[in-house]
Amino acid sequence: MSDRAGQEGSAARSAADALMDRPVEKASLLRRRPELLLSPAVLVLVLAVWHLVVKWFEVSRFVLPPPVDVIQALVRNIQEGRYTDHLLYTVRNSLTGFAAGTILGVLVGGLLAASSIVERVLHPYIVAFQTFPKIALVPMLTIWFGFDAQPKIIIAGILAFFPVMVNAYVGLTALDVESEELMRSLRSSRLQTFVKLRLPTAMPYIFAGLELALVFAILGAVTGEFLGSRQGLGFLIQQFSAQLRTEDIFALLIIFATLGMAVHMLITWLRKKVIYWQG
């Protein structure tokens, strides 16, 4: 009886060892990254619904062009090189304004976080200017600086400033009491506390503000081109609108969407490189 029990026990151990030694099968790519299938499927569904709506309801091409016309207009304009100079103009102004707004936003956010007196003094003015419709400044900036790039850069910088400033301030003040007491117990200086604790804690907040700021900077530059410019994607939209070329306007929207995706991917890549401890 005991021999039989011993044999059953050894058989069970052998089966368990075999299961342990079996290589673990990795999940398929689609299970790990379902968006690789679902995102294109959503796009195909949207295009199909768009095409059917235009066809069934006989919508005028001047109101809503079919997807085929939009794609043809996009390919034609790319082949003719119509987007290149305008796109570079918009991106250059957006990035310049974004850089200026980001630097100023981090500096002001850090100053507000470092001094409660400065925060109490400047807070009413910051709130007042933040609620001000900043797009209304574009006509005045155009009057002051003309139709060159300066008004677009300034409005892009203003729109980029607030997300970075707010997130930098929140991040630099988002410290738990235990961590701060630990740094005091280690007799760390204010500079060491800032470099070792405050800045790493604030980085996720700052990058969240950077992503919004870059999008706002592009919108600000394009809005400036709407109201006074001889170049840029906003100027192109005005031209196409005046000529009732609706399919070209929708093609430009694809360019904007692609630019937005590129911006998102850039910030995500930078965040992974800088905030490497978050994995």
Side-chain angles (χ1 to χ4, degrees):
M1 190 74 178
S2 60
D3 292 341
R4 183 178 179 183
Q7 291 175 357
E8 290 178 353
S10 64
R13 285 193 298 271
S14 299
D17 293 339
L19 288 175
M20 292 293 291
D21 293 337
R22 180 192 297 179
V24 179
E25 294 183 2
K26 291 185 178 180
S28 64
L29 180 61
L30 291 179
R31 284 190 178 184
R32 288 184 283 115
R33 300 287 302 277
E35 68 273 12
L36 296 179
L37 177 63
L38 295 179
S39 294
V42 170
L43 177 61
V44 171
L45 179 61
V46 170
L47 293 177
V49 171
W50 180 0
H51 175 76
L52 292 176
V53 167
V54 173
K55 182 178 180 181
W56 287 349
F57 294 96
E58 298 181 351
V59 181
S60 171
R61 294 176 181 270
F62 293 107
V63 177
L64 182 64
V68 175
D69 289 3
V70 174
I71 294 173
Q72 289 176 348
L74 177 65
V75 173
R76 182 183 67 250
N77 289 327
I78 291 176
Q79 290 176 343
E80 294 175 355
R82 183 165 296 173
Y83 295 137
T84 306
D85 293 337
H86 297 285
L87 179 61
L88 291 176
Y89 182 81
T90 299
V91 170
R92 183 171 62 248
N93 293 339
S94 302
L95 291 180
T96 305
F98 167 75
T102 296
I103 294 172
L104 188 60
V106 171
L107 290 176
V108 174
L111 183 62
L112 296 178
S115 173
S116 59
I117 297 176
V118 175
E119 193 272 336
R120 289 197 297 269
V121 171
L122 296 183
H123 184 264
Y125 301 102
I126 291 174
V127 171
F129 193 66
Q130 188 172 6
T131 56
F132 183 80
K134 290 168 279 296
I135 301 300
L137 294 174
V138 176
M140 294 304 302
L141 291 174
T142 304
I143 293 174
W144 293 339
F145 298 99
F147 294 95
D148 294 329
Q150 288 89 341
K152 292 79 177 174
I153 294 173
I154 293 173
I155 195 64
I158 291 174
L159 291 181
F161 166 78
F162 286 100
V164 177
M165 185 272 296
V166 171
N167 280 272
Y169 170 74
V170 172
L172 290 171
T173 54
L175 288 179
D176 57 284
V177 180
E178 292 80 4
S179 299
E180 205 164 7
E181 289 180 351
L182 176 61
M183 296 300 291
R184 288 200 194 100
S185 67
L186 295 174
R187 297 181 179 180
S188 301
S189 64
R190 295 188 66 179
L191 179 60
Q192 289 174 325
T193 303
F194 177 80
V195 173
K196 299 289 186 180
L197 181 61
R198 287 184 177 273
L199 190 58
T201 303
M203 289 307 294
Y205 295 89
I206 293 175
F207 269 94
L210 289 179
E211 189 164 355
L212 286 175
L214 193 46
V215 173
F216 287 166
I218 295 172
L219 294 177
V222 172
T223 304
E225 293 164 1
F226 277 143
L227 300 179
S229 181
R230 304 182 186 92
Q231 203 174 359
L233 296 180
F235 172 73
L236 265 187
I237 290 180
Q238 275 196 326
Q239 273 195 331
F240 292 150
S241 299
Q243 299 169 5
L244 298 179
R245 295 166 60 175
T246 315
E247 68 279 2
D248 290 291
I249 297 175
F250 274 88
L252 266 178
L253 295 182
I254 296 176
I255 297 294
F256 281 119
T258 305
L259 186 58
M261 291 175 62
V263 163
H264 173 73
M265 293 172 64
L266 174 63
I267 296 297
T268 302
W269 179 79
L270 285 175
R271 180 168 53 218
K272 290 180 179 179
K273 292 295 183 182
V274 175
I275 318 177
Y276 55 88
W277 58 88
Q278 285 192 334

